[in-house]
Amino acid sequence: MIEKALTSADVEFVTTLHGEEPVSFQVLLQPRGEQADRLLRAIDDVALGELDEAVREGETPEGEEALSVGQRALEVSLAALRASGSEAEGRLIEDHPLDALKSLVEEVGADEVIVLTDPHYVEEFFHRDWASRARHKVGVPVLKLFSHSKA
């Protein structure tokens, strides 16, 4: 589960987690927008000392624009995973990302879930981040990783 396009460092990281064992990825991308809370993102930016980012939170695409950006990010991520030699399929999630994640885990018989996001300190502190909530919902191990750089 991701929220933006994977960087080359992210792809290398997730594709090497299991050594030489063949891995197939099912990527769910929840674009930022209506599901995300601008205030929490701004607080995270301030906590990280990224004051310029906090000011720009109002510029984050929402609605249809977020879906368009999200679709491009998903396509880029799938292409990068495939270029690394991995099998990869994916879909964009508009509503209820954890319900979609649980359904996908059951549908494909996933062994684990990787949640790869930027740090969201406020949500993590209150265990409201995707990984914390997914651990109680999906029935398989959930690995939480932080993106290596901004995409």
Side-chain angles (χ1 to χ4, degrees):
M1 185 169 219
I2 60 175
E3 62 187 357
K4 64 180 185 178
L6 296 175
T7 65
S8 57
D10 294 332
V11 170
E12 182 179 352
F13 191 43
V14 299
T15 57
T16 59
L17 281 172
H18 297 287
E20 298 299 315
E21 183 179 331
V23 178
S24 174
F25 292 94
Q26 296 290 325
V27 180
L28 297 180
L29 186 136
Q30 166 74 54
R32 294 176 105 181
E34 295 177 37
Q35 286 285 339
D37 184 350
R38 278 189 191 164
L39 176 60
L40 291 177
R41 292 193 317 256
I43 291 170
D44 281 339
D45 291 337
V46 170
L48 291 169
E50 297 174 355
L51 300 178
D52 291 340
E53 291 295 320
V55 171
R56 285 195 288 268
E57 282 300 338
E59 300 170 9
T60 300
E62 293 190 2
E64 288 299 316
E65 188 181 351
L67 291 177
S68 174
V69 170
Q71 187 61 46
R72 284 193 306 274
L74 178 62
E75 291 166 4
V76 165
S77 298
L78 293 175
L81 287 167
R82 291 175 186 142
S84 76
S86 298
E87 292 181 29
E89 299 297 325
R91 57 183 99 153
L92 203 60
I93 308 167
E94 293 182 47
D95 297 309
H96 312 293
L98 294 175
D99 292 339
L101 180 61
K102 181 178 180 180
S103 295
L104 181 63
V105 165
E106 292 170 355
E107 176 186 322
V108 301
D111 295 324
E112 72 179 350
V113 168
I114 298 172
V115 177
L116 187 104
T117 68
D118 287 331
H120 299 291
Y121 296 114
V122 174
E123 292 175 5
E124 291 166 24
F125 180 78
F126 292 106
H127 303 285
R128 300 301 305 152
D129 60 299
W130 286 345
S132 296
R133 292 186 295 159
R135 286 185 181 108
H136 300 286
K137 190 160 187 120
V138 298
V140 297
V142 176
L143 179 60
K144 178 169 137 184
L145 303 174
F146 291 124
S147 300
H148 281 76
S149 63
K150 302 217 178 231

